[in-house]
Every structure is written in structure tokens, then in C-alpha cells.
């Protein structure tokens, strides 16, 4: 293979967007797609006006996994999914409502993406959802022939429905298509449907309570197509569930979550086993959360630079603690620097005046400092901090510090 052949095989975002735009024009004469580099999407319109946006991230990732000869098929699949939504019969859509489980950050990122691109955010495009447990949430999807379209507030308003009413109908629709029995694999029960809504069936709580389990239902949702269930008092089942979760995550191109959940008194909670969590799922969890924070920081930095906002966006860092050998997370606040802090397990307080760096558990720092101011419309959460701790507060914080490091003092 020559160097020019290698270059031609590289599918840059710009080249991919151009390919999608050309294929859209061939599929729908008169339609056009205008590339938005900041959002990595196409703004689609025809003679009648806007038809919406085609987000390209997943399509591009899937196309890059294919040889050039098969990339047009990938594009066609995503275009078909978009056209399903853009040309939908709105009046009949509520009958196809189904619940979908996704990361909350997916729904919350839309307003920030619009800020990055310089477009005003239309509130009707916001996706209503219900927090589930941990960083998972339940929203509404429209089941189409080629796709699942996420329902926004504008669509609900057009149907004259509020979110909770629509969710009740979506769960009822899901129940109608949930005949069949879980399959036993060792001490774990595995969902049989494989219809991209397996994870959503955690909302059919009566179905889970009827399963022969030792203790409360504990589930894992490694992908949309897989719901794993065991009992909270089944030690062997819990170990098997952890192994099966990681096996699915390794093979899944669009993984969901490695975090097990437990159903207690009708409420889903994150499940923490009495046994220490193995390194592999724990590392996967930290990497996932790290990815959300990195994406958010990158977008906020772009907005601040463009708008001339002097506000530091602190990094969310993950490392292995030397003493315990376990993964943990940290964020740093430096004296004299207005900062947007991500929530982390450890807060690093850098005081160059005193020549020290305190490492304090987040909960203890909040207790001493009286809490932090969460910024609206940002998820993962970020907190605006401006007034560095006073000398008295620093004295109290030292009592909770797991480490106190000496750093260079401020020079005048």
C-alpha cells in the first residue's frame, strides 16, 4: 500500500461530514446538510426550512471501523434513522413511545453544545428525563423502523402530554412486548429480548420481584440489549454478574454501564458489595466519568475563550492512591483563581502563599467551607469557587487532610 492509499483510507471528520451531506442530497433531492464543526453535526434543511440535526459522532466511529467499500452502507443506515424522525407522523407517535435508559450527561450536554457552536439553544429541544440511580436516567424514545428517536420537550407539548404521563404510556407499551422468560446462566438471569430495550425493563419492577432471587434484585446494564439480574445475598451470583458485565463491555461498541444497581423498597440505588470492587469494573467506571468531565471541560474552555470569560475550568483527575492501592479522583483549587470545580473524592487546595498543598476529602471540605455553589445547567456537576479558604478554615482543613505537601511559595 502506498502513502497516498493510506491517506485516502483516513476518514477525517470533515471528509465524513462531506460524504454524509452528498449522500443526503442524493437520497432526498432538495435537502442539504450544512456542517457544524463545533457540534460535529449537519444542520439539515429543505425548501420548507429546518429539518433538524444529524449528529455524526457515532456514525463516524462506526464508519471508521469499516473498510471504505462498506462506509456508504453505514451512512445509509444513519440517514434512514434520521429520515424516520424528520418525516414522522407526529399524531401517531405516542403509540410508539418506549422508555430508554442513558447516561444523564447525554441529555444535559445539548445546551452546552449549542453554546460552543454559537447557536441559541431552543428550550423546546431539551430532553425531559427522570434521574434513575447514579449517573443513569430514564427518558422517552420513539421506536422507529431504523432508529430510536429521543423525545424532546417540544414533541411532548405538540402531543399535549407531560413527561410523567408519557412515561406511564411508554412503560405500558414496553410491558406489552415483554413476554418471555429470563435465561439462567449460572446464578445470573439474562434478559432474552435483544431488542435494544432490555436495559429499559428495569422499570418493570414487578417482573424482577417475581424472579427466584436471594435477596433484593441486583442488576447490571452493560448494554441496551443486556439486562443481568442476581440477588443481593447471592455471593456467587454477584461475582458472576461482575464478570459477565465486563465481558459484554469488552465486546460492545456502544456500552452502557458497569455500575450495578439494587432495587430496594421500590427504588433503584447504586449497589456496593460488601466485598471490595474488582479493579477492572472500578477502572471502567472511573474512565467513563473521566471522559464525561474531559468533554465538558473542553467545551467550557472553548466558550470561555471565545467570550473572554476569565474562569478556570478545573480538570477531573483519576489516580491510584499510594496508601490504599485503590482508584480515586481529585480536583484542584488554587488560591486567587476563580474556578469551576468538578465534584471529586479529594479536593486539592493549593496555597502558594503558605507553600503547601492540602489533600482533603470532598465531604470534609464541604463541611468546613459550608458547601459549594452548583452551577445551573451543567452536568456533571460543577461548582463555582472564588473566595479561597481563610486562615482559620485552612487550619481546620489541615485536621482532615490525608496529605500535606510542601510546594514552592509565592514569589513577589
Amino acid at each position: 500500500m502506498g502513502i497516498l492509499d493510506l491517506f485516502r483510507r483516513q476518514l477525517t471528520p470533515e471528509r465524513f461530514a462531506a460524504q454524509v451531506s452528498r449522500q443526503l442530497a442524493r437520497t432526498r433531492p432538495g435537502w442539504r446538510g450544512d456542517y457544524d464543526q463545533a457540534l460535529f453535526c449537519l444542520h439539515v434543511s429543505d425548501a420548507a426550512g429546518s429539518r433538524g440535526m444529524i449528529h455524526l459522532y457515532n456514525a463516524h466511529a462506526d464508519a471508521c471501523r469499516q473498510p471504505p467499500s462498506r462506509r456508504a452502507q453505514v451512512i445509509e443506515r444513519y440517514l434512514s434513522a434520521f429520515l424516520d424522525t424528520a418525516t414522522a407522523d407526529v399524531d401517531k407517535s405516542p403509540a410508539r413511545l418506549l422508555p430508554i435508559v442513558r447516561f444523564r450527561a447525554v441529555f444535559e450536554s445539548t445546551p452546552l453544545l449549542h453554546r460552543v457552536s454559537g447557536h441559541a439553544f431552543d428550550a423546546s429541544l431539551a430532553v425531559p428525563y427522570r434521574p434513575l440511580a447514579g449517573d443513569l436516567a430514564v427518558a422517552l424514545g420513539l421506536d422507529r423502523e431504523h432508529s430510536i428517536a429521543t423525545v424532546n420537550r417540544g414533541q411532548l407539548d405538540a402531543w399535549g402530554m407531560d413527561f410523567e404521563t408519557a412515561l406511564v404510556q411508554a412503560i405500558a407499551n414496553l410491558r406489552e412486548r415483554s413476554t418471555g422468560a429470563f435465561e439462567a446462566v449460572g446464578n445470573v438471569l439474562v434478559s432474552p429480548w435483544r431488542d435494544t430495550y432490555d436495559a429499559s425493563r428495569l422499570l418493570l419492577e414487578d417482573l424482577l420481584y417475581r424472579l427466584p432471587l436471594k435477596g433484593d434484585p441486583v442488576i447490571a446494564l452493560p448494554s441496551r440489549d443486556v439486562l443481568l439480574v442476581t440477588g443481593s445475598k447471592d455471593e456467587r451470583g454477584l461475582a458472576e454478574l461482575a464478570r459477565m458485565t465486563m465481558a459484554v463491555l469488552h465486546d460492545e461498541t456502544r456500552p452502557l454501564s458497569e455500575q450495578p444497581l439494587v432495587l430496594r423498597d421500590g427504588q433503584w440505588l447504586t449497589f456496593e458489595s460488601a466485598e471490595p470492587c474488582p479493579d477492572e469494573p472500578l477502572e471502567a467506571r472511573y474512565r467513563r466519568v473521566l471522559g464525561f468531565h474531559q468533554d465538558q471541560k473542553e467545551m467550557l474552555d472553548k466558550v470561555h475563550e471565545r467570550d473572554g470569560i476569565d474562569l478556570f475550568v478545573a480538570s477531573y483527575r483519576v489516580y491510584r492512591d499510594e496508601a490504599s492501592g485503590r482508584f480515586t479522583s481529585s480536583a484542584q483549587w488554587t488560591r486567587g483563581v476563580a474556578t469551576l470545580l468538578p465534584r471529586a473524592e479529594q479536593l486539592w487546595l493549593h496555597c502558594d502563599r503558605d507553600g503547601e498543598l492540602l489533600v482533603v476529602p470532598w465531604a470534609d471540605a464541604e463541611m468546613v467551607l459550608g458547601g459549594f455553589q452548583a452551577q445551573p445547567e451543567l452536568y456533571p456537576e460543577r461548582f463555582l469557587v472564588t473566595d479561597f479558604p481563610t486562615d482559620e478554615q485552612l487550619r481546620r482543613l489541615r485536621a482532615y487532610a490525608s496529605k500535606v505537601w510542601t510546594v514552592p511559595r509565592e514569589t513577589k
Side-chain angles (χ1 to χ4, degrees):
M1 180 189 299
I3 187 66
L4 291 178
D5 292 324
L6 178 62
F7 179 76
R8 292 188 189 103
R9 290 174 62 87
Q10 295 175 346
L11 189 59
T12 65
E14 291 73 18
R15 289 182 60 211
F16 180 71
Q19 289 181 20
V20 177
S21 184
R22 288 194 298 269
Q23 199 157 328
L24 171 67
R26 289 196 298 269
T27 303
R28 283 288 191 275
W31 289 42
R32 58 177 291 171
D34 295 315
Y35 180 48
D36 186 326
Q37 183 179 18
L39 290 180
F40 193 27
C41 74
L42 292 179
H43 296 277
V44 178
S45 61
D46 62 6
S50 175
R51 287 286 190 167
M53 291 189 299
I54 303 177
H55 294 282
L56 300 175
Y57 181 83
N58 287 334
H60 179 248
D62 285 351
C64 286
R65 297 187 187 99
Q66 301 295 328
S69 61
R70 298 185 61 184
R71 288 171 181 169
Q73 298 174 28
V74 173
I75 293 173
E76 181 60 35
R77 187 170 75 249
Y78 278 89
L79 282 178
S80 295
F82 170 77
L83 294 169
D84 269 353
T85 303
T87 60
D89 181 346
V90 175
D91 291 337
K92 297 180 181 178
S93 291
R96 296 194 293 272
L97 277 173
L98 288 168
I100 56 175
V101 176
R102 303 288 188 270
F103 291 118
R104 181 178 170 186
V106 172
F107 306 133
E108 292 281 7
S109 64
T110 304
L112 185 54
L113 283 168
H114 280 76
R115 287 177 63 190
V116 171
S117 70
H119 290 85
F121 179 64
D122 183 347
S124 68
L125 299 177
V127 176
Y129 65 85
R130 178 197 291 176
L132 181 61
D135 50 10
L136 292 173
V138 178
L140 297 166
L142 281 174
D143 189 52
R144 308 235 187 255
E145 181 180 358
H146 300 286
S147 66
I148 301 170
T150 305
V151 175
N152 60 39
R153 193 171 305 281
Q155 288 168 296
L156 288 178
D157 291 343
W159 301 329
M161 301 177 74
D162 60 52
F163 173 75
E164 292 300 330
T165 300
L167 182 59
V168 169
Q169 177 169 342
I171 294 173
N173 294 342
L174 181 64
R175 188 180 299 280
E176 289 182 1
R177 56 193 294 176
S178 297
T179 57
F182 278 77
E183 304 162 3
V185 179
N187 284 33
V188 175
L189 297 172
V190 183
S191 60
W193 298 283
R194 309 294 193 273
D195 60 357
T196 73
Y197 296 100
D198 290 58
S200 301
R201 288 177 171 88
L202 63 84
L203 298 171
L204 305 180
E205 297 167 0
D206 57 316
L207 183 152
L208 299 178
Y209 275 128
R210 290 198 298 268
L211 297 176
L213 304 173
K214 298 177 182 178
D216 295 318
V218 174
I219 66 168
L221 311 170
S223 87
R224 303 174 189 181
D225 272 332
V226 179
L227 169 61
L228 306 175
V229 189
T230 192
S232 60
K233 297 180 180 179
D234 190 335
E235 293 183 6
R236 177 182 169 187
L238 292 171
E240 291 174 349
L241 182 135
R243 287 194 297 270
M244 293 170 68
T245 297
M246 293 311 302
V248 174
L249 289 173
H250 281 309
D251 296 335
E252 181 62 45
T253 58
R254 294 186 195 172
L256 192 50
S257 177
E258 75 300 317
Q259 173 67 61
L261 306 178
V262 60
L263 182 60
R264 290 199 175 117
D265 300 322
Q267 182 179 2
W268 285 108
L269 307 168
T270 57
F271 178 74
E272 302 296 340
S273 174
E275 297 296 322
C277 182
D279 265 4
E280 192 175 20
L282 193 62
E283 182 177 2
R285 187 180 313 166
Y286 276 106
R287 287 185 182 278
R288 172 173 52 77
V289 175
L290 176 63
F292 288 145
H293 281 94
Q294 287 176 329
D295 290 345
Q296 183 191 58
K297 173 177 167 56
E298 181 180 347
M299 289 188 285
L300 286 169
D301 283 340
K302 288 180 179 178
V303 171
H304 292 171
E305 181 179 5
R306 183 194 65 210
D307 296 346
I309 298 173
D310 185 15
L311 182 58
F312 179 68
V313 182
S315 294
Y316 177 91
R317 290 190 169 90
V318 175
Y319 62 99
R320 193 184 289 270
D321 184 75
E322 294 178 359
S324 66
R326 307 296 291 175
F327 288 103
T328 189
S329 61
S330 70
Q332 181 169 312
W333 180 10
T334 299
R335 187 177 74 90
V337 180
T339 302
L340 277 179
L341 283 175
R343 182 184 292 276
E345 290 161 292
Q346 308 293 327
L347 179 59
W348 292 19
L349 294 154
H350 182 198
C351 185
D352 52 3
R353 183 199 63 186
D354 298 336
E356 66 180 12
L357 178 67
L358 305 180
V359 180
V360 181
W362 183 278
D364 294 327
E366 274 196 311
M367 179 183 64
V368 171
L369 301 176
F372 300 119
Q373 178 186 351
Q375 295 302 284
E377 299 182 359
L378 284 183
Y379 189 88
E381 287 181 305
R382 285 205 176 247
F383 304 85
L384 177 62
V385 292
T386 54
D387 299 325
F388 199 71
T390 65
D391 289 344
E392 172 57 23
Q393 288 172 327
L394 286 172
R395 183 190 65 78
R396 293 174 60 196
L397 287 166
R398 287 188 193 97
Y400 294 103
S402 59
K403 294 182 180 67
V404 180
W405 286 319
T406 300
V407 297
R409 288 179 179 270
E410 177 183 30
T411 57
K412 295 184 179 179

